[in-house]
Amino acid sequence: MRDYSLIYLNGVRKEVRGREALLMLADWLRKEEGLTGTKIVCAEGDCGACTVLRAFPQIDNNPLQFEAINSCIATVAQMDGSHLLTVEGIQNGQELSPVQKAMRECHGSQCGYCTPGFVMALTGALEKHQSLDKKTACNYLTGNLCRCTGYQPIIEAAITAKQSEEHSVSKRYLTKDTVADLSHHQKESLLIKSGLITFFAPVTLQEAVQFASENPGFKVLGAATDMGVQTNKGKPLPKHLLSLHLISELYEVRKEDTRISVGARVTLAQLRRAVEKTNPEFAVFLNLFASPQIKNAATLVGNIANASPIGDTLPFLLVSHGKVHVASIEKGSVQKREIAFSELFLDYKKLALKPSEIITHVSFDETCQDQILKIYKVSQRKDLDISTVSGAFLLKTSLQGKDKKIEEARLAYGGVAATPVRLPEAEKALQGKVLDSKLIHEVSELIGKIISPQTDLRGSQTYRKVLAMNLFKKYGREVLHG
Ligand SMILES: Cc1cc2nc3c(=O)[nH]c(=O)nc-3n(C[C@H](O)[C@H](O)[C@H](O)COP(=O)(O)OP(=O)(O)OC[C@H]3O[C@@H](n4cnc5c(N)ncnc54)[C@H](O)[C@@H]3O)c2cc1C
Ligand code: FES
Ligand code: FES
């Protein structure tokens, strides 16, 4: 059993133990390693100032490459098995990196506080694309905010910078020996203790559920994009943390007949790549989920287990016969069961999981050719924002002359109740009917009557009702008129 997190930091091997391992990564970089190029501004994953690059051999980016993550909302312990790069590590000797040069030449920096974050996000993007057009650059920069330069010079720098083999940080740092060392360590469980807190990362599911049963109140740590924000706001870390990052089977996305199965460690970026063909609407929708930095770390299972009524993936999973697959231990052996999404959400932030159960994976239907699925999200800002209301609508139709007769309807919303919901009454009102403007109007009115959203900071009850009704109208019109 290891008692240290193994990390390569700008090419240097580090074994991080005890108190240091339970610090937030950005704090550790700045205070313990003296790498103050990484800035902390929001400490909530919102501004990108703390962006660093991470390469983790388990993640399905083939060939292994560095990807941008926020370092303010993840603990050092979670980085076990990773090679991390900060802004101090990207120049080659005395020579600035292509992105650094372009930022200087295009005047992409004024006060400079956001600059390392932009430089790292763009360095990660160039590792994948070698050069960037404006649209791609903007997509990669949705997680970075600048208050004083304005974005134009930064975007110019992004499209001016060109990557070449000799400048590739992946080529320079991800050597055979380094990757072998990191991979080798992933075969041994990890236990870190500091004060009252225990961080356990086993290599088998059996050990994971054993730990869960022995430590009531334990919390599974996914990427901590939810938990890290809460910790930075003052909520103490739970005493017993369980990380599943060493259990290799939980990194898989599998297709079995028409079902897609996604392991608990699969990131949203990995998921997006994996479902492009099987669930194209969902893959495109994931573009609106947070920033690249968040998606490169956050898991689908974390989004579900967080049990928020506005989790973006939940309406899609409700209309796609989603199920969570959970495990626990009984009399020394692993017990597994599945819970359908229709029975998963009991109340606000309350799931139908037993206290010692953990989610191992989630499964859902492939989207078929004869289904018309659309997913919508309304938020105050298009990119990097949590939704006010979201909806997923799925119709199966058959042609009756020129008309579309509805064989099956599934409607689900987020943000209109204490939990994400399906609307069986509205679905019934569509069943067997011909889709036309009158029906769309009637069902939209019915939706307004059925739902009873809460008023909160993101929107009033009335606003949410109108949004929910209009989203369905939008869907209906898109189905009717293409
Ligand atoms: C800046 C920012 C932007 C965001 N944007 C969006 C957005 O656009 N849409 C959206 O829906 N969300 C958004 N989020 C919320 C968050 O990123 C997602 O909910 C994400 O999917 C959580 O995944 P995670 O792996 O980080 O979960 P974690 O934070 O690690 O865990 C979340 C919860 O799930 C539990 N958990 C995790 N794994 C398991 C498991 N295997 N078994 C049992 N319980 C488990 C944890 O114990 C915890 O209670 C955003 C967050 C931030 C910080
Ligand atoms: S400091 Fe703002 S995203 Fe980390
Ligand atoms: S250069 Fe000042 S915040 Fe961006």
Side-chain angles (χ1 to χ4, degrees):
M1 180 87 70
R2 273 186 294 143
D3 68 346
Y4 60 88
S5 203
L6 179 72
I7 292 169
Y8 277 76
L9 177 60
N10 298 331
V12 181
R13 192 177 189 279
K14 305 268 169 189
E15 294 181 1
V16 193
R17 294 181 166 78
R19 179 194 67 84
E20 283 194 31
L22 294 169
L23 292 175
M24 286 299 171
L25 176 58
D27 288 327
W28 179 71
L29 291 171
R30 290 174 59 80
K31 294 178 188 158
E32 306 292 331
E33 294 296 316
L35 297 174
T36 50
T38 300
K39 307 296 181 206
I40 304 174
V41 179
C42 69
E44 290 188 18
D46 272 322
C47 74
C50 64
T51 303
V52 298
L53 299 185
R54 176 189 188 214
F56 182 65
Q58 282 280 11
I59 288 179
D60 157 42
N61 59 4
N62 208 355
L64 182 61
Q65 277 174 339
F66 284 103
E67 291 187 323
I69 59 163
N70 295 312
S71 60
C72 64
I73 49 175
T75 61
V76 182
Q78 284 168 257
M79 295 296 123
D80 174 52
S82 305
H83 198 137
L84 298 174
L85 267 194
T86 67
V87 72
E88 289 86 352
I90 57 172
Q91 70 181 60
N92 206 352
Q94 291 303 305
E95 194 195 346
L96 292 181
S97 78
V99 175
Q100 287 173 312
K101 273 189 210 154
M103 283 289 269
R104 189 182 60 188
E105 280 155 20
C106 299
H107 307 288
S109 178
Q110 283 189 39
C111 82
Y113 218 76
C114 69
T115 312
F118 274 96
V119 166
M120 295 312 281
L122 287 174
T123 304
L126 281 176
E127 284 296 301
K128 281 209 161 60
H129 298 281
Q130 286 74 53
S131 67
L132 304 171
D133 58 27
K134 187 174 172 190
K135 187 163 176 250
T136 315
C138 290
N139 284 341
Y140 272 94
L141 292 179
T142 51
N144 293 78
L145 298 180
C146 173
R147 288 190 138 192
C148 53
T149 300
Y151 294 98
Q152 196 54 41
I154 298 174
I155 292 166
E156 267 164 36
I159 51 190
T160 306
K162 302 279 176 278
Q163 177 75 291
S164 65
E165 284 270 306
E166 62 173 310
H167 291 116
S168 164
V169 284
S170 303
K171 285 256 153 37
R172 192 173 351 140
Y173 285 111
L174 300 177
T175 60
K176 236 173 148 184
D177 288 350
T178 313
V179 176
D181 190 20
L182 290 169
S183 303
H184 177 70
H185 274 72
Q186 289 178 22
K187 296 189 178 91
E188 195 180 351
S189 299
L190 167 64
L191 181 71
I192 292 174
K193 288 191 179 204
S194 170
L196 294 175
I197 299 176
T198 302
F199 174 99
F200 181 49
V203 289
T204 65
L205 189 57
Q206 169 101 21
E207 291 171 274
V209 286
Q210 185 72 42
F211 178 86
S213 77
E214 287 165 3
N215 295 288
F218 81 98
K219 274 274 182 193
V220 179
L221 204 55
T225 60
D226 278 315
M227 278 172 68
V229 173
Q230 291 162 23
T231 308
N232 287 346
K233 283 179 187 283
K235 193 172 171 188
L237 276 175
K239 281 192 188 141
H240 301 287
L241 291 165
L242 175 62
S243 174
L244 309 177
H245 76 271
L246 296 177
I247 306 180
S248 51
E249 73 209 57
L250 302 185
Y251 288 86
E252 283 174 13
V253 180
R254 274 182 291 137
K255 183 168 181 294
E256 285 154 13
D257 298 325
T258 56
R259 293 288 286 175
I260 315 300
S261 161
V262 180
R265 290 298 307 177
V266 173
T267 64
L268 292 160
Q270 188 188 345
L271 177 68
R272 199 208 170 290
R273 294 191 284 267
V275 299
E276 250 167 12
K277 292 217 167 75
T278 54
N279 303 82
E281 276 288 336
F282 185 44
V284 171
F285 177 73
L286 285 175
N287 288 340
L288 290 182
F289 194 113
S291 61
Q293 285 94 324
I294 297 283
K295 279 200 285 270
N296 286 336
T299 60
L300 174 66
V301 166
N303 195 238
I304 298 163
N306 193 33
S308 161
I310 48 171
D312 273 348
T313 61
L314 309 178
F316 162 77
L317 292 164
L318 273 164
V319 299
S320 302
H321 294 141
K323 283 182 187 166
V324 292
H325 302 254
V326 300
S328 58
I329 200 152
E330 236 170 72
K331 293 184 188 144
S333 62
V334 178
Q335 301 295 315
K336 295 186 178 177
R337 69 176 181 122
E338 50 186 50
I339 310 170
F341 257 68
S342 50
E343 286 155 23
L344 182 63
F345 299 96
L346 300 182
D347 202 346
Y348 181 70
K349 293 250 175 186
K350 196 165 174 357
L351 294 182
L353 250 62
K354 293 181 194 149
S356 64
E357 280 178 332
I358 63 174
I359 303 176
T360 56
H361 55 288
V362 55
S363 65
F364 50 86
D365 283 346
E366 178 181 15
T367 308
C368 301
Q369 297 269 330
D370 61 350
Q371 295 173 334
I372 309 167
L373 168 71
K374 290 193 187 280
I375 315 168
Y376 305 94
K377 164 174 175 174
V378 182
S379 51
Q380 289 175 355
R381 181 179 147 209
K382 181 170 168 271
D383 292 307
L384 188 50
D385 201 1
I386 315 266
S387 56
T388 307
V389 169
S390 59
F393 311 120
L394 185 150
L395 289 184
K396 210 171 154 185
T397 59
S398 60
L399 275 183
Q400 211 175 60
K402 274 193 202 155
D403 295 328
K404 284 188 172 121
K405 188 180 158 208
I406 300 164
E407 304 289 339
E408 194 188 351
R410 294 181 223 153
L411 314 182
Y413 282 100
V416 302
T419 66
V421 286
R422 280 267 300 262
L423 299 184
E425 221 181 307
E427 292 171 1
K428 214 168 145 207
L430 287 161
Q431 200 88 26
K433 308 254 176 68
V434 166
L435 188 72
D436 58 19
S437 303
K438 187 164 162 278
L439 183 65
I440 294 167
H441 179 76
E442 281 168 9
V443 173
S444 148
E445 292 295 310
L446 179 62
I447 289 170
K449 288 193 189 112
I450 303 169
I451 59 171
S452 178
Q454 298 288 309
T455 294
D456 67 14
L457 282 176
R458 283 178 212 285
S460 66
Q461 182 181 64
T462 315
Y463 176 57
R464 285 195 148 107
K465 259 193 192 200
V466 173
L467 283 183
M469 291 163 70
N470 285 350
L471 283 185
F472 180 73
K473 279 190 194 152
K474 181 177 165 67
Y475 171 69
R477 285 182 193 140
E478 283 176 7
V479 174
L480 268 187
H481 308 297

